Amino acid sequence: MTPLFLASRKIYFTALGLLLAAGVALCIWSAGQRVTPPVLGDYHLYQCDTGGAAGSPVFKLQLVTSVRAREIAERLCAAPSVQRTYRGVQVSWKPRALLTAEEILSEEYDVIWSRSHSMAGLVPEYGDHYEPLLHYDHYRVYWYSRGGAPQLTADYFHGKRVGLLNDKLSHTLYLLPLASLKEAGVNFSEENLRYFDDAVSLYQAFARDELDLVSGGDYVRTDLDIPLSRTLISGDANAATLFVRKTRAGATDCAVAEAFDGLADAYLRGRRVFAGAEHCVP
C-alpha cells in the first residue's frame, strides 16, 4: 500500500523542497562558524616544581638536546639552593638555530648551552648579558657501527646508511662527521645520508638497525645496550659550554654544575672547567 504522503505529488515535492532548503541553510550556517584551533603544548619543554614560593620565578635552561634533559631538571628541582629562589625549573631543547638575539638580549634563559662563536654571531656583545660557567673540552667523538670498526675510506662508506642530526651547528652529530666523510673522499650527493630532527630519534633508528653508522661520544656505548664497534673522529672536540646570566642567584652555580656532572661520564667530568668549583661544598 502506498503511503499517504506519496499519494499526492504536490505534497511530496513540497516536502522535498523544504528538506533541500533546510540542507542548504545548514551548510551556509556551518560555513560561517569559526572553529577555534586546538592549543598544542610545546613538546620541546619540560618543567618540574621545586616547592618554592608561588610568586618566585622559574629557572630556565636552553639545552641542545632532549637527551637527559628531564633528569637535569629534576636534579635542579631537588637542589636546596634552587628551591630557595625558584618555584620551578624549565628545560627547553628546541633546535639551537632557533635561539634568537632577542632571547639573549632579554635574558630569557638562566642557562644556555651553546658555543662562544654561536653566541657572538647573534649578539657580538653577549658578554654584557651572559658569561661562561662550565666548559667540557677535549671531548672524544667516534663513528659507531654495529659491525666491524668503521674505516675512514670512501669505499667503506659507499652504500652505508649514515645518520646525521639536522642541525648545522652540532659539532658531534653534523659538522665533525661530515668533515670526516669529506676527508675520506665521500661524495655526499651519491651516498645515503639520513637526517633526524633530534638525537633521540637518530639513536633509536640506529638501535633498530635502520642505520649503519652514527657519530657520538663515549655515552653511545653506555646508552645503547647493543654490541658496537667504533673509530675515532676527533679527540679534541668541544662538548659543551654552559653560559649563565650575569645577573643571577650565584648560589645556583654549584647546583647547575652538579646536575650536569651527575649525567656526564667519568672521561667528560675529568675535562670539565669550572672556575667556581672551589666554592662548592662536596
Side-chain angles (χ1 to χ4, degrees), residues 57-279:
V58 172
F59 190 78
K60 296 182 178 180
L61 301 91
Q62 167 60 25
L63 309 183
V64 300
T65 176
S66 62
V67 176
R68 299 180 180 176
R70 177 170 181 157
E71 291 92 331
I72 290 172
E74 296 287 357
R75 284 173 176 265
L76 287 170
C77 274
S81 61
V82 177
Q83 293 172 345
R84 286 192 293 268
T85 308
Y86 300 93
R87 60 182 169 85
V89 174
Q90 182 185 94
V91 290
S92 167
W93 54 87
K94 65 184 180 183
R96 77 187 84 199
L98 297 183
L99 179 68
T100 65
E102 290 78 10
E103 288 173 326
I104 294 176
L105 292 170
S106 65
E107 301 180 10
E108 175 70 17
Y109 302 102
D110 296 279
V111 178
I112 297 177
W113 180 343
S114 187
R115 293 186 174 90
S116 296
H117 66 270
S118 297
M119 297 283 282
L122 291 170
V123 180
E125 299 81 15
Y126 77 88
D128 294 340
H129 306 276
Y130 288 88
E131 62 185 359
L133 175 68
L134 295 175
H135 298 273
Y136 291 97
D137 296 321
H138 310 296
Y139 173 60
R140 296 181 298 205
V141 178
Y142 303 87
W143 279 117
Y144 282 92
S145 168
R146 299 170 65 97
Q151 303 172 27
L152 303 182
T153 65
D155 288 341
Y156 173 82
F157 282 103
H158 182 63
K160 296 289 196 304
R161 300 165 299 175
V162 180
L164 299 168
L165 190 65
N166 192 21
D167 179 355
K168 295 181 180 179
L169 297 177
S170 172
H171 280 202
T172 303
L173 299 177
Y174 183 87
L175 294 173
L176 287 175
L178 280 183
S180 176
L181 293 175
K182 181 66 175 179
E183 290 176 6
V186 173
N187 186 334
F188 299 160
S189 63
E190 296 179 358
E191 299 303 335
N192 192 359
L193 306 183
R194 303 186 181 183
Y195 295 87
F196 294 79
D197 289 334
D198 59 81
V200 173
S201 299
L202 186 154
Y203 288 123
Q204 286 177 344
F206 182 55
R208 292 192 300 265
D209 202 20
E210 296 172 6
L211 298 171
D212 298 304
L213 293 159
V214 295
S215 58
D218 291 289
Y219 60 84
V220 175
R221 275 186 166 175
T222 303
D223 292 348
L224 299 183
D225 189 21
I226 54 177
L228 295 173
S229 301
R230 64 184 185 180
T231 297
L232 187 69
I233 296 177
S234 173
D236 193 28
N238 174 252
T241 299
L242 298 183
F243 296 88
V244 292
R245 291 176 56 215
K246 297 188 74 170
T247 55
R248 66 185 185 280
T252 61
D253 289 356
C254 296
V256 171
E258 184 178 353
F260 279 83
D261 274 356
L263 299 171
D265 56 45
Y267 177 85
L268 201 55
R269 286 197 301 271
R271 282 145 185 82
R272 183 199 71 178
V273 177
F274 177 26
E278 66 277 7
H279 302 299

